[in-house]
Amino acid sequence: QVQPVESGGGSVQAGGSLRLSCAASGRTSVTYYMGWFRQAPGKERQFVAAISWRGEITYYAASVKGRFTISRDNAKNTVYLQMNSLKPEDTAVYYCAAALSTWNPTLEKEYNVWGQGTQVTVSS
């Protein structure tokens, strides 16, 4: 199965931007939905964005729509999350995950494998 590895997290001031990357190793010949989730301290993990195998279908949480953009480069086995206009409430550990098949890629339980996460901190 595919194994996602996140990178690109860091600290930024409110209004700034970051781009997260998720490199997939392993059985990358198999088609996967890829998703980003985040977990803030003391809160449950929540859906952020997801993208279909060919990239033609994307999903976003209402809280990030218009600010975040998910994309993928299958030639590089990499998924990206461009985050603009960051807010302090975006502070969280961001996780990349892969779903072999799913009828609803906004649901955490649909995902088979998860990365270790990368910290994003937005200061006011």
Side-chain angles (χ1 to χ4, degrees):
Q1 62 184 9
V2 68
Q3 181 58 51
V5 178
E6 306 94 337
S7 62
S11 298
V12 64
Q13 289 192 328
S17 298
L18 282 174
R19 189 177 80 158
L20 304 183
S21 298
C22 173
S25 61
R27 293 188 63 195
T28 56
S29 60
V30 181
T31 61
Y32 288 87
Y33 253 91
M34 298 297 292
W36 286 97
F37 289 75
R38 67 186 182 187
Q39 187 168 22
K43 295 187 177 181
E44 293 186 351
R45 190 154 56 185
Q46 63 177 196
F47 170 75
V48 176
I51 189 167
S52 60
W53 166 245
R54 291 186 178 87
E56 76 277 24
I57 303 172
T58 57
Y59 298 80
Y60 294 96
S63 58
V64 306
K65 198 167 187 178
R67 300 189 297 122
F68 291 10
T69 302
I70 189 170
S71 61
R72 68 191 298 166
D73 183 343
N74 288 340
K76 297 181 179 179
N77 297 322
T78 302
V79 176
Y80 304 98
L81 185 68
Q82 178 66 44
M83 305 185 295
N84 298 329
S85 302
L86 283 162
K87 304 175 181 179
E89 51 263 44
D90 294 319
T91 295
V93 176
Y94 283 70
Y95 297 90
C96 179
L100 185 57
S101 64
T102 174
W103 64 273
N104 187 342
T106 69
L107 299 179
E108 183 176 345
K109 67 181 181 66
E110 295 288 300
Y111 289 82
N112 308 97
V113 289
W114 293 80
Q116 293 299 307
T118 185
Q119 176 71 46
V120 171
T121 303
V122 184
S123 58
S124 57

